[in-house]
Each structure stands twice: as structure tokens, then as C-alpha cells.
Amino acid sequence: MAADPNASLGLLLAWLSPSFPIGGFSYSHGLEWAVEDGTITDAATLRAWMEGVLTHGAGRTDGILIAHAYRAAADNDLDNLTEVAELAIAFQPTRERHLEATAQGTAFLAAVRAAWPASGLDDLAARVTVDGIAAFPVAFAAACAAHHVDLDAAVPAYLQAFAANLVSAGLRAVPLGQTDGQRTLAALLPVIAATAREALTAPLDDLGGAALRADIASMKHETQYTRLFRS
């Protein structure tokens, strides 16, 4: 059953809002260390960093995970859904990225189940929860499937929210002005669209990335002397 497009849009706007109670504002995905290191110093270097994360890092990986988890959930293929959920947790390359993904995912599931219950959502939530935690992209996919949100809209919406959150972190950490932040996000929209298109058609075996500096930044951030963010 397809959902009303307006209802689906409302869910995506609510769930991916900065005000949704998952604490997304407290994570920088290692970006804070890249600012400390001098890699990110202005809007141009922030944009370059974000392009790499989207096309070769967690952006692409999360998009693929969402697509496969959504389809498994929609088909009630619970064993496959559990496999994707386990992969999503295993693919977190550092302790802080593991925290970033699972703290947000677990909080997301709790909030959606409390405020937006749906038939089958509890069963899906049980399958995407591994040892009491759930990765954010898989938790998001399960909720979208339970509410019949269009997958073709869900993936780019998630990636746009992911990019917007990290651009916001860049504004605070560099720091940059609000207009520079909006210009950066506007320039990233074609990258987000292309990454979403690729993620929607990629096989699960294509999981993986090459944003090694972002991974190293996350490792370095663990011991950074002063920090605004949890990752």
C-alpha cells in the first residue's frame, strides 16, 4: 500500500528535522578534528570534505544500507533485514562513529515507536536492534517501510539531512557564517542526488568506502584536547 505523498513528506520532515530528539547536533563525524588539523578552513574546504564523505564515505554507505533494509522490511524478509542491521553496525570504522550511528538509531526508533506507531513497526524494530542498539540508517529504513514512505524520497531526504547536520557542525567549528553554510549546502545538492541514485541501485556487495581521511579524523577526534562534539 502506497502512502499519501503529503503524509510521507510530513514524516520525512519531522523525522529528519534538527529538532527530532536523537541528538544529531552533538556529532561532527570527525569534522571537528579536520578543522583542528587545518584541513577545513573555509567554505570551499568544507564543501570538498563533504563531497568526499557523501560520495566515498558514510553518505554512500548509509544510502545503500537504507535501500536494502527498506526492501527487506517491505517484503517482510526479516532474516535479511537482520543481516543488513548487523552489517550497518559492523561497518562503523571507529568507536566514535559506532556511537554516532547507534545512539542516534536507537533514539530514533524509540521516538518513532512512541509518537508514530504503525502496524508491524515493533517487529521490524526488534529485527534491526542488535544487542540493544540499532544503526541509524537501518532504523530509519524500517520506520519508512512500516509507514510506506516512498524509498525514492527517503534516501535523498536522509542524505540531505546528514549533509545539513555536518555543514551546521562546520559553521560552529571553523567558524563560518550562515550564508556560507547555505551556499555550501546548495552546492552539495547535486552530489546528494547522484549519491542517492547510486545507492538505490547498488547491490549490498558494493558496501564500502574510501573516505579514509574522514575515518582517521574520527580516530583522532577521540583524543582531541578540546571538543565541542561527541564525534
Side-chain angles (χ1 to χ4, degrees):
M1 180 181 67
D4 172 29
N6 291 327
S8 294
L9 177 60
L11 289 175
L12 290 174
L13 289 172
W15 294 348
L16 296 171
S17 166
S19 65
F20 200 72
I22 61 172
F25 63 88
S26 63
Y27 300 97
S28 82
H29 205 74
L31 185 148
E32 185 175 21
W33 180 84
V35 173
E36 176 76 15
D37 179 61
T39 302
I40 299 175
T41 58
D42 54 20
T45 48
L46 175 61
R47 174 183 171 182
W49 181 271
M50 286 302 309
E51 286 179 354
V53 171
L54 284 165
T55 59
H56 302 298
R60 177 180 179 275
T61 297
D62 283 1
I64 294 172
L65 288 167
I66 292 168
H68 284 271
Y70 180 103
R71 292 179 184 126
D75 294 340
N76 203 35
D77 186 350
L78 299 183
D79 288 341
N80 190 28
L81 180 60
T82 298
E83 179 185 353
V84 178
E86 291 173 346
L87 277 173
I89 294 173
F91 260 77
Q92 304 307 317
T94 68
R95 182 186 65 84
E96 287 194 353
R97 290 272 293 280
H98 181 277
L99 172 67
E100 180 180 318
T102 59
Q104 292 187 88
T106 305
F108 177 87
L109 272 184
V112 171
R113 292 172 69 188
W116 285 277
S119 175
L121 178 57
D122 287 346
D123 291 338
L124 295 178
R127 286 293 187 148
V128 302
T129 302
V130 180
D131 296 329
I133 56 176
F136 188 20
V138 177
F140 173 75
C144 288
H147 283 273
H148 307 286
V149 174
D150 182 21
L151 177 60
D152 288 347
V155 173
Y158 176 98
L159 294 179
Q160 194 276 338
F162 170 73
N165 189 62
L166 294 194
V167 168
S168 176
L171 297 191
R172 287 172 278 163
V174 173
L176 295 172
Q178 295 291 336
T179 301
D180 276 337
Q182 291 306 306
R183 289 183 180 129
T184 301
L185 189 57
L188 289 172
L189 291 181
V191 180
I192 291 167
T195 302
R197 286 193 299 270
E198 180 182 356
L200 285 164
T201 59
L204 196 59
D205 286 346
D206 274 6
L207 277 177
L212 300 181
R213 188 154 179 79
D215 295 343
I216 292 170
S218 178
M219 298 174 194
K220 295 284 191 179
H221 187 264
E222 292 184 17
T223 57
Q224 191 169 328
Y225 182 68
T226 58
R227 305 189 308 178
L228 295 173
F229 300 94
R230 300 183 71 189
S231 74

